[in-house]
């Protein structure tokens, strides 16, 4: 077996892409999307019909046309992905709401409503929310409503701990972005075994299992296949098409990865107050910087997506005028 097939025996493989053709090729169990991936997907010819349908829907519903169209487009692509994968798709809340619990909850409910109108049950959708205190608080409320959440932009143990205590379905610790920060600060080329991103996920995974938390750990944001192999055995791993291809083309033996079993330990679970969470996050320079940067980048790509939708609307309207004149 190639390394991708070996990996499937240890972890659930998730595709980190909105590219339908890549998802068909690599047959992942789930798929994750975000504004960056949706912006790339929206520029592909095969998605033009989804763009026009999203714009028409937004026009009928009034309000902020570009924001509504972006939401509708995310659900349309997610629905198409769910025709292929047997599991779930992750769809992200607008990152501009990362510090607004109430608005995040309302946005998530709207996404679920759109999926249900498309015939998709909420059990097949994970709502992606940034791992701010407000985001985690929103996820706790949503989980009680049966809306399952994927807490993203997670870089620290304090974020992971707060997510588990909130009862969220899944977390996405970002391996590669942690590595990026440490490489930039130290100038060191880390191996997979001493990779600080790998070490972070390993510690979270082992703590969750030892305390018997139900929250799923899904390693994300990989820079190389060595990081993926070092985390083989993690509950889920979300991987870009480029790295899926590299694993598929490698016929070697997969690295041993995480321990196959972590014995539960009789130790009390830790619960963080808001003040403790904010203090610990602030004390972690890497996590603070990467969380802020991640939110800024997702906001930028969300705005680019909305600009693309508005441009498409203008071009379509101009075409209609030319045709009717």
């Amino acid at each position: 077996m190639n390394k991708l097939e070996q990996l499937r025996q240890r972890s659930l493989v998730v595709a980190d892409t909105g590219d339908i053709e890549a998802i068909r090729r690599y047959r992942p169990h789930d798929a994750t999307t975000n504004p960056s991936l949706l912006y790339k997907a929206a520029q592909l010819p095969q998605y033009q019909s989804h763009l026009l349908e999203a714009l028409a829907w937004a026009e009928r519903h009034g309000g902020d046309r570009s924001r509504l169209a972006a939401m509708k487009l995310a659900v349309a692509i997610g629905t198409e992905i769910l025709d292929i994968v047997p599991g779930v798709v992750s769809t992200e809340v607008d990152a501009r709401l990362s510090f607004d619990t109430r608005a995040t909850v309302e946005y998530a409910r709207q996404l679920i409503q759109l999926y249900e109108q498309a015939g998709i049950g909420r059990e097949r959708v994970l709502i992606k929310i940034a791992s701010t205190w407000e985001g985690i608080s929103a996820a706790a409320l949503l989980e009680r409503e049966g809306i399952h959440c994927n807490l993203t932009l997670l870089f620290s143990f304090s974020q992971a701990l707060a997510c588990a205590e909130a009862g969220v379905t899944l977390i996405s610790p970002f391996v590669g972005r942690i590595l990026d920060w440490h490489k930039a600060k130290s100038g060191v080329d880390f191996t997979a075994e001493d990779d600080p991103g790998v070490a972070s996920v390993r510690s979270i995974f082992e703590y969750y299992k030892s305390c018997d938390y139900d929250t799923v750990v899904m390693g994300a944001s990989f820079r190389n296949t060595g990081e993926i192999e070092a985390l083989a055995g993690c509950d889920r791993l979300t991987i870009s098409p480029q790295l899926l291809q590299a694993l598929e083309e490698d016929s070697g033996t997969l690295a041993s990865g995480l321990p196959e079993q972590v014995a539960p330990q009789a130790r009390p679970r830790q619960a963080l107050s808001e003040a403790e969470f904010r203090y610990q996050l602030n004390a972690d320079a890497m996590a603070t910087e990467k969380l802020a940067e991640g939110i800024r980048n997702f906001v930028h790509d969300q705005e680019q997506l909305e600009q693309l939708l508005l441009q498409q609307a203008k071009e379509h309207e101009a075409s209609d005028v030319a045709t009717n004149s």
Side-chain angles (χ1 to χ4, degrees):
M1 293 186 291
N2 61 49
K3 286 187 175 180
L4 181 56
E5 292 303 320
Q6 294 173 60
L7 183 63
R8 292 185 201 276
Q9 295 186 334
R10 300 286 310 280
S11 302
L12 278 181
V13 172
V14 180
D16 193 14
T17 182
D19 185 338
I20 297 296
E21 294 310 313
I23 293 169
R24 284 199 179 98
R25 176 179 175 183
Y26 294 109
R27 300 175 292 104
H29 188 273
D30 304 330
T32 58
T33 64
N34 62 42
S36 307
L37 297 174
L38 290 176
Y39 176 63
K40 292 176 184 176
Q43 298 174 73
L44 299 174
Q46 59 264 40
Y47 290 108
Q48 294 311 297
S49 62
H50 285 320
L51 264 69
L52 295 177
E53 289 169 11
L55 287 162
W57 177 86
E59 181 71 20
R60 292 194 302 271
H61 285 76
D64 189 329
R65 186 181 185 188
S66 61
R67 294 185 75 171
L68 284 173
M71 178 187 290
K72 181 67 171 177
L73 177 65
V75 172
I77 292 176
T79 300
E80 189 167 345
I81 288 171
L82 288 171
D83 285 337
I84 304 169
V85 302
V88 300
V89 68
S90 290
T91 300
E92 191 146 347
V93 167
D94 187 335
R96 290 170 292 201
L97 307 179
S98 296
F99 302 100
D100 189 330
T101 296
R102 180 180 295 179
T104 294
V105 168
E106 289 303 316
Y107 196 99
R109 288 171 179 161
Q110 284 184 277
L111 287 173
I112 290 298
Q113 184 179 44
L114 287 173
Y115 271 112
E116 290 178 341
Q117 289 171 357
I120 303 297
R122 61 182 60 191
E123 72 279 358
R124 297 204 65 200
V125 180
L126 292 177
I127 300 298
K128 283 182 78 174
I129 301 170
S131 299
T132 59
W133 178 261
E134 294 81 3
I136 297 167
S137 299
L141 294 170
L142 291 166
E143 292 283 356
R144 290 199 287 272
E145 297 179 12
I147 297 175
H148 303 304
C149 300
N150 169 355
L151 271 291
T152 187
L153 295 176
L154 193 147
F155 303 98
S156 70
F157 186 81
S158 58
Q159 289 173 293
L161 180 55
C163 288
E165 284 294 312
V168 306
T169 296
L170 179 148
I171 61 169
S172 296
F174 275 32
V175 180
R177 296 194 196 187
I178 294 175
L179 172 65
D180 294 344
W181 190 90
H182 284 280
K183 283 182 69 174
K185 293 294 182 181
S186 68
V188 172
D189 277 328
F190 296 91
T191 67
E193 283 308 310
D194 60 15
D195 184 306
V198 170
S200 176
V201 177
R202 183 182 290 123
S203 67
I204 292 167
F205 178 83
E206 292 180 355
Y207 179 76
Y208 272 22
K209 301 310 174 187
S210 69
C211 289
D212 202 26
Y213 282 113
D214 292 329
T215 299
V216 172
V217 180
M218 181 172 72
S221 177
F222 293 107
R223 295 294 179 257
N224 54 69
T225 57
E227 291 178 321
I228 296 168
E229 291 193 55
L231 291 174
C234 192
D235 299 324
R236 302 184 196 190
L237 299 170
T238 183
I239 306 170
S240 69
Q242 294 82 359
L243 293 178
L244 287 170
Q245 180 178 353
L247 289 165
E248 186 179 61
E249 292 174 350
D250 191 336
S251 58
T253 301
L254 193 75
S256 56
L258 298 178
E260 293 192 12
Q261 289 189 334
V262 178
Q265 297 181 16
R267 59 178 174 178
R269 294 179 175 185
Q270 303 175 46
L272 297 177
S273 67
E274 179 179 353
E276 289 169 331
F277 173 87
R278 293 191 186 281
Y279 180 80
Q280 290 184 23
L281 185 61
N282 182 72
D284 186 334
M286 177 276 297
T288 298
E289 291 175 23
K290 298 309 286 185
L291 174 60
E293 178 187 72
I295 291 171
R296 288 195 302 270
N297 289 342
F298 280 160
V299 167
H300 176 262
D301 288 331
Q302 178 76 22
E303 291 172 344
Q304 279 197 306
L305 175 60
E306 291 174 7
Q307 286 299 315
L308 176 65
L309 285 161
L310 286 177
Q311 183 62 35
Q312 287 285 334
K314 290 176 182 176
E315 292 176 3
H316 186 64
E317 289 162 1
S319 176
D320 285 344
V321 169
T323 301
N324 296 325
S325 61

